[in-house]
Amino acid sequence: RPAALDNPHTFRFSFAPMESETSPVKRASLFQPSRVEIAATSHVEHSDSPTKKEQGRRRPRTPLENTYKMGPAVKFSAKQVEEIINTVLVGQLQDEQYDPRASRQMSKTLSTIITNRVKSLNYERYKIVTVVTVGQNDGQGLRVASRCLFDEENDTFATGSFKNHSLFAVASVYGLYYE
């Protein structure tokens, strides 16, 4: 294992095309790091915060010109995103068993895959926020709720869920427009 992977302040970015839905690729586990879709983004956690030595070195701020665009050219389609969510959840979780130690990584991986597929729809000037909850299916009831401050005309969300004999998953994707 390279030493750069052990450093919590090292970011890895690699961009690769997403594999096709119809390609005859052998189904792998969610935790196999060679999946093409997983390699397209990185995660930033509280452990990635800069040290005191690094806080003094900041990148110079890039001035941005005003665009005077008050609305999107193409609106965020909740129906398209909901189809993506359900496809990913069924495809990735159908044969999985619930493991409490692995559910955190499973949520991150699902979130990354869903976010990458939604970003491939090219919604310009939309910030995509994906939240995935994975838990054990033990016959209990569960309600997942969220609160957001939305612009009713431009911002929206899509939600999907999946359940098998061992686990459940609820995924929400928020499309928030930058003015």
Side-chain angles (χ1 to χ4, degrees), residues 102-121:
S103 64
R104 177 180 176 195
Q105 183 61 41
M106 188 182 295
S107 294
K108 285 182 180 182
T109 303
L110 288 169
S111 177
T112 301
I113 293 169
I114 292 169
T115 302
N116 290 340
R117 291 203 184 168
V118 171
K119 284 182 177 181
S120 72
L121 297 175

Side-chain angles (χ1 to χ4, degrees), residues 60-114:
R61 191 167 198 187
T62 305
L64 300 175
E65 296 283 332
N66 290 334
T67 62
Y68 302 106
K69 286 184 76 172
M70 297 304 290
V74 177
K75 286 199 172 198
F76 189 86
S77 171
K79 185 173 181 172
Q80 270 186 318
V81 175
E82 191 172 320
E83 289 173 8
I84 290 172
I85 292 169
N86 290 325
T87 301
V88 169
L89 291 179
V90 169
Q92 297 292 327
L93 297 177
Q94 194 165 15
D95 300 326
E96 292 290 330
Q97 296 289 324
Y98 179 73
D99 180 8
R101 292 172 300 226
S103 64
R104 177 180 176 195
Q105 183 61 41
M106 188 182 295
S107 294
K108 285 182 180 182
T109 303
L110 288 169
S111 177
T112 301
I113 293 169
I114 292 169

Side-chain angles (χ1 to χ4, degrees), residues 71-178:
V74 177
K75 286 199 172 198
F76 189 86
S77 171
K79 185 173 181 172
Q80 270 186 318
V81 175
E82 191 172 320
E83 289 173 8
I84 290 172
I85 292 169
N86 290 325
T87 301
V88 169
L89 291 179
V90 169
Q92 297 292 327
L93 297 177
Q94 194 165 15
D95 300 326
E96 292 290 330
Q97 296 289 324
Y98 179 73
D99 180 8
R101 292 172 300 226
S103 64
R104 177 180 176 195
Q105 183 61 41
M106 188 182 295
S107 294
K108 285 182 180 182
T109 303
L110 288 169
S111 177
T112 301
I113 293 169
I114 292 169
T115 302
N116 290 340
R117 291 203 184 168
V118 171
K119 284 182 177 181
S120 72
L121 297 175
N122 294 325
Y123 291 118
E124 290 184 13
R125 299 181 66 153
Y126 273 95
K127 179 175 184 172
I128 307 299
V129 178
T130 306
V131 179
V132 177
T133 303
V134 175
Q136 183 177 11
N137 184 6
D138 202 16
Q140 75 277 22
L142 177 76
R143 181 174 293 180
V144 177
S146 65
R147 294 175 129 186
C148 298
L149 184 60
F150 271 10
D151 173 7
E152 292 178 9
E153 293 179 22
N154 299 319
D155 299 341
T156 189
F157 70 97
T159 302
S161 62
F162 173 82
K163 181 170 72 168
N164 68 13
H165 66 282
S166 177
L167 58 83
F168 69 88
V170 178
S172 298
V173 176
Y174 302 92
L176 308 169
Y177 183 69
Y178 282 148

